């Protein structure tokens, strides 16, 4: 008896692969020009399989934008609160460079997010900017400013 064709093994990180492919495609082509079929093809799955993970393009888009911001927040979370400016900037730079192909998702395309999603994304970025600003203030205080 011969064995039939081997069953396809579904990667455990398929959702992550979809988000990365989606973020890159949204950055390259923009929200409206990117299609779920193209994103699925980049991951090597069918559009039907993609829809099992995300109900629609907007849900995938919102997830992509949040994942990018969450990566920055997480990277800064690993840096001690009293870390110097070089350590804070290094953490932000590592994430930014590692994901530069998909950075346009939140930089250029966030305007397509619904109000509540924009607010959430804005809050995440505010925490990143606040953390960097605090490190800058500690490293380069204004004359007469007390820390």
């Amino acid at each position: 008896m011969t064995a039939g064709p081997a069953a396809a093994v579904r990667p455990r990180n398929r959702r992550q692969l979809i988000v990365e492919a989606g973020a890159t495609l949204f950055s390259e082509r923009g929200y409206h020009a990117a299609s779920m079929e193209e994103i699925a093809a980049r991951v090597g799955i069918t559009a039907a399989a993609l829809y099992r993970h995300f109900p629609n393009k907007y849900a995938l888009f919102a997830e992509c934008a949040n994942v990018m911001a969450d990566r920055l927040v997480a990277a800064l979370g690993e840096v001690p609160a009293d870390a110097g400016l070089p350590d804070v900037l290094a953490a932000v730079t590592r994430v930014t460079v590692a994901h530069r192909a998909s950075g346009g998702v939140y930089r250029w395309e966030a305007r397509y997010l619904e109000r509540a999603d924009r607010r959430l994304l804005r809050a995440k970025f505010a925490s990143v900017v606040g953390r960097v600003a605090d490190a800058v203030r500690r490293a380069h205080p204004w004359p007469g400013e007390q820390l």
Side-chain angles (χ1 to χ4, degrees), residues 48-66:
L50 177 59
Y51 282 106
R52 283 194 287 274
H53 293 275
F54 295 94
N56 54 47
K57 183 165 83 168
Y58 180 82
L60 173 56
F61 176 67
E63 177 83 6
C64 291
N66 277 294

Side-chain angles (χ1 to χ4, degrees), residues 70-137:
D70 290 342
R71 285 176 176 152
L72 289 168
V73 170
L76 287 172
E78 294 174 6
V79 177
D82 60 348
L85 182 58
D87 292 333
V88 170
L89 293 179
V92 172
T93 301
R94 270 193 304 277
V95 172
T96 304
V97 170
H99 302 285
R100 66 186 166 272
S102 54
V105 167
Y106 54 82
R107 192 175 31 223
W108 303 114
E109 299 300 308
R111 67 185 178 271
Y112 296 116
L113 290 171
E114 294 172 2
R115 181 176 297 193
D117 290 327
R118 264 195 324 269
R119 250 187 262 134
L120 176 62
L121 191 63
R122 199 174 302 129
K124 291 176 183 182
F125 279 115
S127 73
V128 171
V129 170
R131 183 74 191 277
V132 172
D134 288 344
V136 169
R137 270 192 229 88

